[in-house]
Amino acid sequence: QVQLVESGGGLVQPGGSLRLSCAASGSIFSIATMGWYRQVPGKQRDMVATITSGGNINYADSVKGRFTISRDNVQNTVYLQMNSLEPEDTAVYYCTIKFSRFQNWGQGTQVTVSS
């Protein structure tokens, strides 16, 4: 079983930056697709960014040019650098790992963008 532990959330002012980290246990990290999703109360969980084992990256239109996803296959960690944050980015951010039919989620980390 792969465990995911997110960190780096918090309160930031509009225009500020945060970097989220997600550390994974287990041996499949380097061959898995990693991703970040976010969810606000009462709404579905939406994709923010994904990165495949080969380094192919996909972003939601709302974060293109502001967020950057990256991975470190030695540290088994995926990152989400978030710049120019907006109040609309406020959500719980979840890390996910996916390989074949296996998928698991982290516990989530709150990001609040407010003045």
Side-chain angles (χ1 to χ4, degrees):
Q1 183 77 352
V2 177
Q3 301 296 322
L4 302 173
V5 179
E6 299 115 332
S7 61
L11 173 64
V12 64
Q13 293 186 342
S17 298
L18 283 174
R19 188 175 84 153
L20 305 183
S21 300
C22 173
S25 65
S27 59
I28 67 168
F29 181 89
S30 64
I31 58 175
T33 292
M34 302 299 299
W36 289 96
Y37 285 65
R38 65 187 182 187
Q39 187 171 24
V40 298
K43 294 192 175 182
Q44 68 181 19
R45 190 173 295 184
D46 292 326
M47 188 275 292
V48 175
T50 60
I51 182 167
T52 68
S53 58
N56 292 317
I57 292 173
N58 187 36
Y59 294 105
D61 288 343
S62 60
V63 307
K64 284 181 180 176
R66 301 188 298 123
F67 290 11
T68 303
I69 190 171
S70 62
R71 64 190 296 162
D72 184 335
N73 289 339
V74 174
Q75 298 293 327
N76 280 11
T77 301
V78 63
Y79 303 96
L80 185 68
Q81 178 67 43
M82 304 186 294
N83 299 328
S84 302
L85 283 161
E86 304 168 352
E88 293 74 22
D89 296 315
T90 295
V92 178
Y93 284 70
Y94 295 90
C95 173
T96 185
I97 184 169
K98 186 174 183 181
F99 177 72
S100 186
R101 296 181 181 180
F102 173 82
Q103 184 167 18
N104 201 14
W105 297 86
Q107 81 285 356
T109 185
Q110 176 70 46
V111 171
T112 302
V113 184
S114 176
S115 55

